[in-house]
Amino acid sequence: MNSNDLRAIKSKRDIEVAFIQLINQNGFSKITIKDICTSALIGRSTFYRYYEDKYDLLKKLITKYWT
């Protein structure tokens, strides 16, 4: 993946924003990949292009913002 690919940057940003909103609304344990995809307006294949699962997404967000 090209780090300057605007589609990739937008997709990852939308996934992150949706994930954080869903955590605030429902708590981590109740979130599904389908919920994230629906909220971010992306397909499942787009989610899995960047993340293995919701645990991987959480780990990458923690690394990105808190390390």
Side-chain angles (χ1 to χ4, degrees):
M1 176 185 75
N2 182 353
S3 63
N4 294 323
D5 181 358
L6 294 178
R7 289 178 299 172
I9 293 168
K10 180 189 175 303
S11 293
K12 289 175 87 173
R13 181 200 64 208
D14 292 347
I15 291 167
E16 291 175 2
V17 168
F19 183 64
I20 292 167
Q21 288 175 343
L22 288 166
I23 286 176
N24 288 331
Q25 292 171 358
N26 305 325
F28 179 79
S29 63
K30 293 184 180 180
I31 297 172
T32 65
I33 301 304
K34 181 179 180 181
D35 295 335
I36 297 167
C37 293
T38 300
S39 183
L41 301 174
I42 59 158
R44 290 176 72 86
S45 61
T46 301
F47 178 89
Y48 287 114
R49 181 176 299 131
Y50 306 113
Y51 307 101
E52 293 178 23
D53 53 25
K54 69 179 186 177
Y55 299 96
D56 182 46
L57 172 54
L58 179 62
K59 180 178 139 188
K60 288 180 179 175
L61 281 174
I62 290 170
T63 302
K64 180 177 178 179
Y65 292 108
W66 289 283
T67 59

